[in-house]
Amino acid sequence: MPLRSSRLFFTALSRAGLQTIPKGLTRPFSNMSKLPTDTRPIVVSGPSGVGKGTLLQLLFSRHPDVFAFSVSHTTRDPRSGEVHGVHYHFVPMKDFEDLIDANGFVEHAKFSGNRYGTSKMTIEEQSAKGKVVVLDIEMEGVKQIKNSDIPARYVFVAPPSEEILEKRLRGRGTETEESVQKRLTQAKRELEYSKTPGVHDIIIVNDDLETAYKQLDDFIYKSA
Ligand code: ADP
Ligand code: 5GP
């Protein structure tokens, strides 16, 4: 199961008392299950394959019941193991366009030949849970959230190098060659945009996973 796809699945398993990742990676943190002082939604972006899903999977598993994932709409096909309504709302193009026409999205964008968007309903539902809403979205969506009235914190996850990014994307085994190429082209744009001063509150280089995770955890819990 791809890691982006597996993160909420893992959360469900974790809540059921089952563990799917090595014990050392699941040890509790001292601030486990506490709401951060700053409860604004957290917008995570970064090139496809950089490890956003992997880091969020750790975040959700180490802080059960603190965060609510913003389940996006997409027109792309589900990957093996992805569940409608959990990983994404997988919808036909017509439904996606109808929702655009109904002004139902907070933001939406085209990415690698498909459409992705955060619906207003999802944000409302997840916010109502009293948890910190986490969005995993690409660059155009980030810009739109920034232009909206949603107060948010912005995290950019960068790769140690473009070569390593490509290796991870291919290593995940979820993409066709065409999709890999599109995602790598888009990655250059995302990396360029990340250099714009003030756009992100933190840029985390995901080299060693635990080091990157600690930066994310510290940012969320200690930077209020
Ligand atoms: P994204 O959600 O950003 O598209 P994923 O979380 O799916 O990326 O990660 C892409 C691939 O990279 C996965 O196979 C994952 O196991 C791997 N990966 C993630 N972080 C690291 C890391 N720090 N070191 C090595 N491999 C990693
Ligand atoms: P994937 O197909 O790998 O699941 O996601 C591809 C890209 O789409 C990722 O960069 C991811 O962050 C982004 N994405 C996922 N959901 C949304 C969304 O609702 N809006 C936007 N703008 N991007 C999204």
Side-chain angles (χ1 to χ4, degrees), residues 2-5 7 45-57 79 136 157 160 164-165 167-174 183 205-210 212:
L3 274 170
R4 179 183 158 83
S5 313
R7 63 187 181 230
S45 64
S48 178
V50 75
K52 301 179 297 296
T54 306
L55 286 164
L56 293 182
Q57 180 181 319
R79 294 174 186 147
D136 173 348
V157 184
I164 291 177
L165 177 69
K167 209 171 152 198
R168 284 186 192 164
L169 190 53
R170 289 185 184 283
R172 191 171 69 185
T174 54
R183 283 166 189 254
V205 177
N206 182 19
D207 189 352
D208 172 68
L209 183 61
E210 279 302 321

Side-chain angles (χ1 to χ4, degrees), residues 4-5 7 44-49 52 69-74 76 79 82 88 105 107-112 114-119 135-142 144 169 172 174-175 183 190:
R4 179 183 158 83
S5 313
R7 63 187 181 230
V44 179
S45 64
S48 178
K52 301 179 297 296
F69 183 62
S70 167
V71 181
S72 298
H73 283 61
T74 184
R76 85 153 163 74
R79 294 174 186 147
E82 285 185 327
Y88 278 108
F105 284 111
E107 62 77 28
H108 62 89
K110 283 185 186 158
F111 182 92
S112 187
N114 289 297
R115 302 195 82 142
Y116 297 80
T118 307
S119 74
L135 293 82
D136 173 348
I137 62 175
E138 55 68 68
M139 169 178 105
E140 296 304 329
V142 170
Q144 291 168 50
L169 190 53
R172 191 171 69 185
T174 54
E175 308 308 316
R183 283 166 189 254
E190 299 255 356

Side-chain angles (χ1 to χ4, degrees), residues 119-183:
S119 74
K120 290 180 179 171
M121 193 179 290
T122 293
I123 290 291
E124 280 162 19
E125 277 175 7
Q126 298 300 62
S127 304
K129 291 179 180 168
K131 299 181 185 181
V132 176
V133 179
V134 178
L135 293 82
D136 173 348
I137 62 175
E138 55 68 68
M139 169 178 105
E140 296 304 329
V142 170
K143 292 177 189 171
Q144 291 168 50
I145 298 282
K146 280 184 167 281
N147 283 328
S148 77
D149 57 5
I150 296 175
R153 298 203 271 171
Y154 295 87
V155 176
F156 186 82
V157 184
S161 69
E162 291 188 30
E163 290 71 27
I164 291 177
L165 177 69
E166 179 167 354
K167 209 171 152 198
R168 284 186 192 164
L169 190 53
R170 289 185 184 283
R172 191 171 69 185
T174 54
E175 308 308 316
T176 61
E177 182 58 28
E178 188 191 359
S179 173
V180 167
Q181 293 305 333
K182 281 184 183 167
R183 283 166 189 254

Side-chain angles (χ1 to χ4, degrees), residues 4-103:
R4 179 183 158 83
S5 313
S6 65
R7 63 187 181 230
L8 292 173
F9 177 67
F10 170 77
T11 305
L13 287 180
S14 179
R15 284 189 183 137
L18 301 168
Q19 290 190 339
T20 58
I21 56 178
K23 215 176 169 187
L25 288 176
T26 62
R27 67 186 177 280
F29 276 42
S30 57
N31 47 15
M32 188 176 179
S33 294
K34 279 188 199 148
L35 268 184
T37 316
D38 188 337
T39 56
R40 283 178 294 168
I42 298 166
V43 176
V44 179
S45 64
S48 178
V50 75
K52 301 179 297 296
T54 306
L55 286 164
L56 293 182
Q57 180 181 319
L58 287 179
L59 182 70
F60 276 71
S61 66
R62 289 177 180 179
H63 300 285
D65 298 324
V66 171
F67 300 97
F69 183 62
S70 167
V71 181
S72 298
H73 283 61
T74 184
T75 59
R76 85 153 163 74
D77 291 333
R79 294 174 186 147
S80 166
E82 285 185 327
V83 178
H84 179 72
V86 175
H87 306 98
Y88 278 108
H89 300 291
F90 295 100
V91 293
M93 185 63 82
K94 169 91 172 68
D95 291 10
F96 197 100
E97 286 171 349
D98 285 350
L99 201 49
I100 294 176
D101 292 344
N103 198 21

